[in-house]
Amino acid sequence: MTDEDADALFHALAHAHRRRIVDLVSAQPGITVGRLACYFDVSRIAVMNHLATLERAGLVLSEKAGASRRLYVNTTPIQAIYERWTNAFSGHWASHLLNIKRASEQAAQKEKADE
Amino acid sequence: MTDEDADALFHALAHAHRRRIVDLVSAQPGITVGRLACYFDVSRIAVMNHLATLERAGLVLSEKAGASRRLYVNTTPIQAIYERWTNAFSGHWASHLLNIKRASEQAAQKEKADE
DNA sequence: TCATAATGTAATTACTATATTACATAAGAG
DNA sequence: CTCTTATGTAATATAGTAATTACATTATGA
C-alpha cells in the first residue's frame, strides 16, 4: 500500500457521511445514487462528491445500469488497513493500553545508552 | 466510538507524516519532540501540529520530562478501528472482494420487491 | 419524438488544513 | 544569574474540502 493509497483511504473514512455511505451501500448492495442521497440532509451533489472520494479510495465500486448507477462496497482496502496496522503494532497489541511509566523507564535507559 | 472520535482518528491517520510519526514513536517509545522532528524535512512546528492532531485522536500520549516532552503511542484507538470495521463487514470478509455481478442480480430482485 | 427522471458537470463560497517565520516561555549547565 | 537548548504560541500565506445552485447530459417510456 503506497502513501497515496493510504492517504486516500483514511481521508475517505474521515467523514461521518462517507462512513455512513459505506454502511448503507454495504447493507444494500446495488443501491442507486439517488436512493442513497435520500438518506442524507445534504444535497445529492454533496453525496456524489463523497462517492467520488470513496471511489478514489477503492472503497466503493459502481456500474452503470441504464440511467442509474449501482453502487457496491469493496472491502479489500479495509483489509489492507487491518494488515498494515495490526502487524505494525502486534508487539504492543497484547497490553491494549500502553503503560507510560514502564516505557518511560525504558526510554531513560535508552537515552543513557545513546550517549 | 462516536462520530467525532472516528473523524479525529481517521483524519489523524490520513497524512503520511503522521503515520510515520506513529511508526517512529512506536519504535522509539519516549522519544522527544526535537529528536522526532529531525526525521522530517518540514519544520519542528509542523511536526508539533501533527503531534497535536495525533494526541487529539488519542494515538499519541506525552509526558513532560524536564525541558523535554516524551512521546508514546497508544494502540487502543487502532484496535477500535479494527473492531468497528471488521465486525461491520464480517459478512463480506470471507470473499475479500465483492462479486459485482451477483450483487447486481440481488439488487435487481430487491428493486422489484420494493415496487 | 417529447417529457421525465437519473445522473453528471461547472462555478462559487465558506471553511479547514498544512506549512511557514518570528517570538515567547521553561528547564538545565556552568 | 546567564547562556543554551527544548518546547510552546501567534500571526499568516497557501492550498484543499465540503457544500451550494444552476445547467447539461443521458436513458426510459408514452
Side-chain angles (χ1 to χ4, degrees), chain A residues 40-97:
Chain A
F40 296 88
D41 287 339
V42 298
S43 71
R44 177 183 57 87
I45 312 299
V47 173
M48 288 217 314
N49 286 336
H50 286 313
L51 281 171
T53 300
L54 288 164
E55 292 200 54
R56 246 175 273 128
L59 281 164
V60 165
L61 307 170
S62 68
E63 60 172 4
K64 286 289 275 190
S68 300
R69 203 171 116 221
R70 297 195 175 285
L71 304 168
Y72 307 94
V73 166
N74 176 23
T75 57
T76 308
I78 291 171
Q79 203 179 28
I81 290 182
Y82 168 74
E83 285 171 12
R84 160 77 170 82
W85 291 92
T86 58
N87 290 344
F89 298 106
S90 55
H92 305 280
W93 211 247
S95 62
H96 289 186
L97 179 58

Side-chain angles (χ1 to χ4, degrees), chain B:
Chain B
M1 183 159 62
T2 70
D3 271 352
E4 287 75 31
D5 290 342
D7 285 356
L9 185 47
F10 284 116
H11 173 245
L13 292 171
H15 195 289
H17 285 178
R18 286 193 290 265
R19 290 192 300 274
R20 189 151 161 242
I21 287 174
V22 174
D23 286 335
L24 287 165
V25 175
S26 176
Q28 302 175 57
I31 190 173
T32 62
V33 175
R35 284 198 177 206
L36 178 68
C38 293
Y39 287 90
F40 295 88
D41 287 339
V42 298
S43 71
R44 178 183 57 87
I45 312 300
V47 173
M48 289 216 315
N49 285 338
H50 285 312
L51 281 171
T53 300
L54 288 165
E55 292 199 56
R56 244 176 274 128
L59 281 165
V60 164
L61 307 170
S62 67
E63 60 172 4
K64 285 289 275 189
S68 299
R69 203 169 116 222
R70 298 196 174 283
L71 304 168
Y72 307 94
V73 166
N74 176 23
T75 57
T76 308
I78 291 173
Q79 203 179 30
I81 290 181
Y82 168 74
E83 285 170 12
R84 161 74 170 82
W85 290 93
T86 58
N87 290 343
F89 297 108
S90 56
H92 304 280
W93 211 247
S95 61
H96 290 185
L97 178 59
L98 188 66
N99 184 326
I100 287 189
K101 285 181 185 170
R102 274 191 56 202
S104 175
E105 287 161 15
Q106 288 172 357
Q109 288 185 328
K110 187 173 164 44
E111 285 288 297
K112 283 184 187 171
D114 283 2
E115 291 153 19

